[in-house]
C-alpha cells in the first residue's frame, strides 16, 4: 500500500506519461532531492526553480498560456502568501478575459500542522484558498484519494490547488491504487530514491491505471444517524476515530464525510446527511476567524436552519499568530482527538 | 510622393512606404485614443487609459511581431498603453471602442475590464491584468514553452518605468537567464518618466533601467521612442536577438505621456513633452514623403473611422445579469459540480 | 462638514503633529498629488515611494522596528495581495519573538466597490484581513469615525489596518470633527490643494482636537426591536436606509449596528441586540465563500442558537472572480439597497 | 605566544590577539552547533539549523557591530545561520540551547520558533522570520530611521544565495538608493552555493550576486568567508562605507555548509567543503599563535560550556497552555477588547 506521498508521485508519473503534464516545477522538486517530502522523485519533467514562489506561480501561468500543462509546487503553503495576487490573477484571468484563455495549472503544496513544523511549516491554507474565485481546491486524506484527486486536478482545465496534509504524507493507504504492487516493500524498491548517491538511479514505475476522484465529490467514510461530522485533511482520520470511539462508548453513530473537494464542495452529501441527522459538526484546523468551516455552517443555517435538532458547530484552530514549536503550543492550538470527541459527543447528545 | 526611397534618422533609415504605414497607424491610434478620452468624459465610456505619446514605438512593435496563436508565434504580455501595437497588428478600432463602451461584444473582456486591458487568444495576447508587475512573473513561462517548442517565436513583455520597481521585474531577469535554460524574452520598458504623479527620477537611481540586465548578461538598449526610425531598428535588433539566440534582451523606450496617467487624473493634454506624431509629421513633410494635404486627409479618415467605431459599439448590447458568472470556469470532464461553468455556490 | 477623506487627512495631520507619526508613505501620497483620493495632501511627513507594495509594507515594518510610527498606504487594497506574507509577519512577529518588539504601524487602503472601479479598484479586503492574527482591522463609514478610528489606529502599538470605503470617501459627515470649521467651503479652502500648480501651496490646518473611537466599539445608529442589522463600510448607509424604509413601509424597527471595528469586534453590542430581537442580518460586500460575515454568523449560532426567532442571515457579494466595469455586473455582484431591504424584511417577518 | 604580533593573509593582517579571540568564538560556535545537532537527533530538541562553515565570517561580523538598542546602534536582520555572530556579540550559549530545547525561557521566541530564529530587542536583532526574502523588504525601513536620526548606526541584513532570487532582494536595492535618500544598509549574502538541494549555479547566471548592485551604484565586494582575516577587513571596509557615507554596500561571503541544510536533511557532516575552522587552526598553528594543546583546551572548554548550557536549558520550564496566546498584542490604551493582550475571540 502506497503512502500518500508515494500516491502523489505515482499520480504525477501517470500525469506526465498519459495526461500531458509538461512541467513539474518548484524549489528542490527536481533531482537530486525530488521534493522535501519526496513527492517528485524520479519524475521525467521535474525541474528545480529559483527560490522564488512568485516566479514559480508566474511561470506556471505562462506555461499554461502557451499550451503546457504544469504542476507547480509551493514547498510549504506557509510560503505562498506573497503569491496571492498571482493566484487571484490565475483565478480571474479567464473571467476577466471574457473566456479567451483556459488556465490548466495544478498547484500543489503541503498544508497543515502535525510535523512539529513551528510557525512556518504548520499553516493551513484552505480558508484562504476557498476565497480564490476561479480556483478549485482539493485536499485528500488518504493515498488513493490523493492519486485520484491529483489526476482530476491535472485533467481539469482550470487552476486547481491540491493541498497535501503534511501530517498524513507518510501514512499508508488502506486501498490499492490501481496498478500498484500490494507489497509496500516492493513499491519502495521500485519508486523510492535510495539514500546517498542517486545519480544512476531510475525509478521503475508500476503499470498504473487511471483513477479519477471527480472534483466536487465527498466520500462518506462512516454511516450513522446521530450526527454528521464533516472534515478533510489531517483532522479527517481523527474524526473517524472519534466517531468510532463514540460508537463504542455511547452507542451513537455518525455520518463521517471526508469532504476531499473544498471548492466546489459536495453540498448534496452534506445536505442529505444533515437532513437525516439534524446535527452537524465541521472540523478543520485552520484558524477560527473567517474560516471555511464557517462558510459551511452558514450554508447549513441558510438551507437547514429549521431542520436542525441541535446547535450546529465548527471546531477549528485558534485565532493566534502561529503554531509554536513546543508541542504544548501545537496541542493547544489546533484540534486534537480529545477535542473532536468531546465536541462530537456534545453535538450528538445535546437536548433539542 | 513615394518616389522618395528612404527617410533617415541618424545613421538609420527606413523606406518611405514603411514610414507612411507607420504614420497612418500612429494617426489612427492617436485619433482613437483622443476619441476614447472623450467617451470617458461624455459618459459613453467610464474610463480611459491609453498610449498617446507612445505611438511611434508601439506601432513599430506591432508591425514586427510574429502574429498568431500558439508557441510558433510571439506571446504578448502587453501594457495598458499598447493600443497602437494592437492597431498595428490589425485590430479594428471597433474592438477598442467596444471595451471603452463596456459592451458584451468587447472581445477582450465582455465589458468587464478597463480599457487597454486586452486579451486576444488568436494573437497570443494574454490578458492584461491591472496588477503592475505580474506579467513579468508570467513571461518566462510562455518563453519556456517557446524555447522547448523550437521555431523563432518569442515572448514580449511590456511595462512602465515605475513598474520596474516590483520584484517581478527581477524575477523575469533571473528566470530568463537560468544557466543553460536562457529564454527568448524581450523585456520592454516604456519609460515615460512617470508613475502616475511620481517622477521616475525621484525613486530610481539606475541611469538606465536596462542597466539592470547587465549582471545577468542580458544585453540592453535605450531608444528614443519618439523616433519611429530609431524605434524600428532597435526593435528589429532586439527581436532578432531573441528569435535567433533564444535569449533575453531588454529594451528601454523613452516615450512621452501626452494625456497624463488616465481619465482618473483628468486625461488633459500636456504641453511640455515631445509629441512623436507631430515630430514624425514634421520629418515626413520635410522629407517630402507626406504633404499637409495628405496628412489632413489621413486624420480626417481616422476621425471618421473612430467615430464609426464608437457609434457601432454604442449600438451593441450590454451585458445582462446572466453574464455575471460566465467564463468563471472552463468546462471540465472531471468536475461533477461545475461540468460546464460556474452556476453559483455548489448545490 | 468634512468628507470622509478630508477627515482622514485631518487625522493624519493630527497624528504627525501630536501623536508621533513619523512617516506617511505610499505610491503618490507625497507632493504633488497627495494621494489618488487626496487623503494625504499637504501633510508634513508624506513621501512618495517606488511602485512596490512589498517595499511599502516592509519599509513601514522596518521604520516601526527602529522606533518610528509610520502610516503606510496601499493605493488600492486590490494591490495588497502580494504582501500578505509580510502582513502575516507584521502580525506574528511579536508573538513569534516572544514579545521582544511592538509593531506600531498603520496601513490604510481604500476598499470595496462603488466607484466604477472594474476588477482592480473594487475588491473588498476585510475577510482576508480578519484572518491576519495579530492585526486589528477597522473600517469607518463616516467622517467622524474615520477621524476617530485613524487616531486610535495611530495610538495603538499594534499593526492596525484602516479600510477606507471607496464609495464613501467624498461623502460629507453629519457630525463635526472637533475643531473643524462648520462651513465645508471654508474647510476646502483651508486644506484642499488647488487644481493645477501646487508648488507654493500650504494647507492651513484647523485647530483640531483629539477624538478617539476606541478599537472594538461599534456604533448603534438605529434602534428597534424587530431585527438586528450589522454592517460597515459602503453597505452601512444602505442598511440605515433600508431600516428607515422598512419602518416607514411596514412599521418594523431594527437595531442597526455600524461595526466600525472588524477585529476585534464589539461582540457585546451584537450579542445584546440579538438577544433582544432574536433576528439578525449581517451585510457586507465581500465575496460569499469564507466571508467575515460568516464568522459573525457562526458566533451568533454558537452563543445564541436557542435565542433566535428566525433564521439568521448573511448578505454578501457573489463568489465571482471580480466586479465587472459595466454597471450591470457591479449591480448584480455586490449588495445594493433593494437586496438589503428585501432580505431585512424577510428576516424581520419570517414566521418563527 | 602572544608575542607574535600579526597573522597575514594575502596583503592583509590581523593582530594575534584578535586572531585568537576570533578563533575561540569560532570554536564555541562550532561546538554549540554540533551539540545542538545532537539535541535534534536525541529528542532533546526538535529541529536544528545553523552555521557550521560560516563561523569565520559570522564571528568577524559580530565583533564589528555597534551593539545596542535603538537607532544609534546597528539594526540586524539576521539569517537563521547567524549563531556565531550572536555569540561574538556576547550572547551566552544558554540563549541558544533554550531555543533548541523549546523552553519558555527562550529569549528569542518562548519556545515557539525554530532554532536560529533570533529576536533580541536589547541588541536591535529584529525577529528572524522563516520567510526568505522578507527581511530585505524591511531593512530599508530601519536604515531610513537611522539615516534621519543621525549618528553612525547602520542596518545589516544577511541572507543566503538562493534567497537573492526573491523580489525583495531587488526591493532592498531600489529602496536603499532612492536619489538623495540613500540608506546605510549593508546587504550581506552568505553564499554557500546551495539552496537546500539546489546548486546556486543551476539557477543563477550572475557571476557574483553583488554585481546586481552595480546598476544602482551600490559598491560590492566578494570575500572568502573561510578566511577570517579577509572577512574581517572586508567587513571593516563595508561597515565603514555604510557608517560614513550613509549609503548601501553589498558584501558576498563565500562560505561552506558543513552539515547540510538542516536537521530535516539529516545534518550529516559533509566532507567536500573547506572547513574555515580547520583552516584557521592550521594557519594559527603555523603562525605560532596557537599550539595544539591550547587548541585542545579551548575545544574542551567549549564542549563543557555547551554541555552545561544544554543541561541548564533542559531543566528550565516548558510553556503551558496558558502561554499559547501571550504576546499576540501589545497593551493598548485605545482598545476596549484587548487593552492588555489577546484573550480569545472578542467577548
Ligand atoms: C501592483 C499595482 N500597484 C499599484 C497600481 C496602481 N497604478 C496603476 S498604473 C500606476 C503607475 C504605473 O507607472 P508605470 O509603470 O511607469 O507605467 P505608466 O502608467 O507610466 O505607463 C500605478 C501606481 C497597480 N495598477 N498595480
Ligand atoms: C519564501 C520561502 N520559501 C521557501 C522556504 C523554504 N526554505 C528554507 S531555507 C531554503 C533555502 C535557502 O537557501 P539560501 O537562501 O541560499 O540560504 P542557506 O540555507 O543556503 O543559508 C528554502 C527553500 C522559505 N523558508 N521561505
Ligand atoms: Mg511610467
Ligand atoms: Mg545558500
Amino acid at each position: 500500500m502506497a503512502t500518500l506521498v508515494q500516491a502523489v508521485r505515482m499520480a504525477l508519473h501517470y500525469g506526465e506519461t498519459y495526461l500531458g503534464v509538461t512541467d513539474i516545477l518548484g524549489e528542490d522538486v527536481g533531482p537530486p532531492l525530488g521534493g522535501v517530502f519526496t513527492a517528485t522523485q524520479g519524475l521525467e519533467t521535474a525541474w528545480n526553480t529559483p527560490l522564488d514562489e512568485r516566479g514559480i506561480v508566474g511561470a506556471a501561468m505562462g506555461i499554461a498560456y502557451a499550451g503546457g500543462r504544469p504542476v507547480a509546487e509551493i514547498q510549504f503553503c506557509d510560503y505562498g502568501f506573497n503569491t496571492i495576487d498571482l493566484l487571484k490573477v490565475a483565478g480571474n484571468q479567464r473571467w476577466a478575459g471574457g473566456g479567451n484563455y483556459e488556465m490548466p495549472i495544478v498547484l500543489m503544496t503541503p498544508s497543515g500542522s502535525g510535523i512539529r513544523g513551528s510557525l512556518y511549516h504548520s499553516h493551513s491554507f484552505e480558508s484562504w484558498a476557498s476565497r480564490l474565485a476561479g480556483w478549485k481546491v482539493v485536499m485528500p486524506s488518504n493515498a488513493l484519494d490523493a492519486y485520484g484527486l491529483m489526476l482530476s486536478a491535472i485533467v481539469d482545465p482550470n487552476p486547481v490547488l491540491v493541498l497535501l496534509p503534511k501530517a498524513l504524507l507518510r501514512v499508508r493507504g488502506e486501498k490499492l491504487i490501481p496498478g500498484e504492487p500490494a507489497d509496500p516493500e516492493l513499491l519502495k524498491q521500485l519508486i523510492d530514491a535510495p539514500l546517498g548517491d542517486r545519480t544512476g538511479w531510475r525509478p521503475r514505475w508500476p503499470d498504473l491505471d487511471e483513477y479519477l476522484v471527480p472534483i466536487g465529490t465527498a466520500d462518506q467514510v462512516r454511516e450513522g444517524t446521530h450526527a454528521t461530522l464533516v472534515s478533510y485533511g489531517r483532522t479527517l482520520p481523527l474524526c473517524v476515530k472519534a466517531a468510532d470511539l463514540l460508537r463504542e462508548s455511547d452507542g451513537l453513530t455518525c455520518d463521517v464525510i471526508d469532504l476531499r473537494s473544498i471548492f466546489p464542495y459536495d453540498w448534496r452529501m452534506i445536505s442529505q446527511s444533515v437532513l437525516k441527522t439534524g446535527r452537524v459538526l465541521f472540523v478543520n484546523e485552520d484558524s477560527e476567524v473567517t474560516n471555511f468551516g464557517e462558510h459551511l455552517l452558514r450554508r447549513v443555517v441558510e438551507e437547514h436552519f429549521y431542520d436542525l435538532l441541535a446547535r450546529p458547530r465548527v471546531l477549528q484552530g485558534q485565532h493566534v499568530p502561529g503554531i509554536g514549536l513546543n508541542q504544548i503550543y501545537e496541542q493547544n492550538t489546533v484540534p486534537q482527538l480529545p477535542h473532536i470527541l468531546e465536541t462530537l459527543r456534545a453535538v450528538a447528545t445535546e437536548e433539542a | 510622393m513615394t518616389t522618395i526611397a528612404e527617410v533617415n534618422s541618424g545613421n538609420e533609415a527606413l523606406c518611405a512606404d514603411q514610414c507612411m504605414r507607420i504614420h497612418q497607424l500612429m494617426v489612427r491610434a492617436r485619433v482613437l485614443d483622443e476619441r476614447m478620452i472623450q467617451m470617458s468624459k461624455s459618459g459613453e465610456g467610464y474610463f480611459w487609459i491609453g498610449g498617446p505619446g507612445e505611438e511611434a514605438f508601439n506601432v513599430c512593435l506591432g508591425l514586427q511581431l510574429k502574429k498568431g496563436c500558439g508557441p510558433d508565434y510571439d506571446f504578448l504580455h502587453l501594457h495598458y498603453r499598447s493600443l497602437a501595437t494592437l492597431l498595428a497588428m490589425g485590430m479594428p478600432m471597433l474592438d477598442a471602442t467596444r471595451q471603452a463602451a463596456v459592451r458584451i461584444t468587447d472581445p477582450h473582456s465582455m465589458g468587464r475590464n478597463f480599457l487597454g486591458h486586452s486579451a486576444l487568444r488568436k494573437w497570443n495576447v494574454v490578458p492584461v491584468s491591472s496588477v503592475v508587475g505580474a506579467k513579468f512573473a508570467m513571461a518566462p513561462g510562455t518563453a519556456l514553452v517557446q524555447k522547448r517548442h523550437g521555431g523563432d517565436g518569442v515572448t514580449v513583455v511590456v511595462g512602465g518605468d515605475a513598474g520596474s520597481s516590483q520584484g517581478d521585474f527581477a524575477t523575469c531577469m533571473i528566470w530568463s537567464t537560468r544557466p543553460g535554460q536562457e529564454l527568448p524574452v524581450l523585456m520592454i520598458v516604456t519609460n515615460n518618466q512617470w508613475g502616475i504623479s511620481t517622477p521616475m527620477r525621484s525613486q530610481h537611481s539606475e541611469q538606465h533601467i536596462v542597466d539592470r540586465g547587465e549582471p545577468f548578461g542580458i544585453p540592453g538598449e535605450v531608444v528614443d521612442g519618439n523616433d519611429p526610425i530609431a524605434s524600428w531598428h532597435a526593435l528589429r535588433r532586439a527581436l532578432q536577438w531573441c528569435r535567433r539566440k533564444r535569449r533575453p534582451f531588454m529594451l528601454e523606450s523613452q516615450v512621452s505621456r501626452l494625456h497624463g496617467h488616465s481619465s482618473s487624473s483628468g486625461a488633459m493634454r500636456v504641453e511640455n513633452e515631445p509629441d512623436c506624431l507631430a515630430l514624425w509629421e514634421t520629418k515626413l513633410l520635410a522629407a517630402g514623403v507626406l504633404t499637409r494635404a495628405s496628412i489632413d486627409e489621413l486624420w480626417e479618415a481616422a476621425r471618421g473611422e473612430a467615430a464609426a467605431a464608437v457609434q457601432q459599439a454604442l449600438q451593441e448590447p450590454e451585458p445582462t445579469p446572466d453574464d455575471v458568472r460566465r467564463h468563471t470556469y472552463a468546462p471540465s470532464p472531471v468536475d461533477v459540480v461545475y461540468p460546464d461553468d460556474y452556476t453559483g455556490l455548489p448545490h
Side-chain angles (χ1 to χ4, degrees), chain A residues 88 123 130-131 286 288 290 294-295 298 306 350:
Chain A
K88 284 180 71 76
H123 271 101
S130 65
R131 294 192 44 73
D286 207 342
E288 67 193 319
T290 312
E294 298 181 323
H295 167 70
R298 194 264 295 170
Y306 297 107
E350 184 163 276

Side-chain angles (χ1 to χ4, degrees), chain A residues 23 47-49 52 54-55 58-59 62 65-66 94-98 100-101 134-136 156-158 214-215 264-265 299, chain B residues 107-109 112 119 121 124-125 127 137-138 142 148 168 171 175 178 324 326-327 329-332 334-336 338 345-346:
Chain A
D23 296 85
W47 51 278
N48 291 329
T49 66
D52 174 10
R54 295 185 61 74
Y65 273 138
R94 177 175 174 78
W95 184 92
N100 263 289
Y101 285 88
W135 278 80
K136 304 180 181 181
D156 198 290
N158 296 288
I215 292 175
Y265 49 85
R299 281 305 292 281
Chain B
H108 308 287
S109 75
R112 286 170 173 166
R121 188 167 154 71
N124 283 348
V125 176
M138 293 187 275
T142 49
R148 193 185 283 158
D168 296 344
T171 285
W175 285 66
R178 294 170 59 240
V324 168
R326 265 175 66 196
H327 296 310
Y329 289 124
S332 164
V334 291
D335 188 325
V336 298
Y338 304 122
L345 293 187

Side-chain angles (χ1 to χ4, degrees), chain B residues 126-146:
Chain B
V126 309
V128 172
S129 166
S130 294
V131 183
V132 164
K135 57 192 158 198
F136 286 101
M138 293 187 275
T142 49
L144 185 148
V145 174
Q146 291 172 311

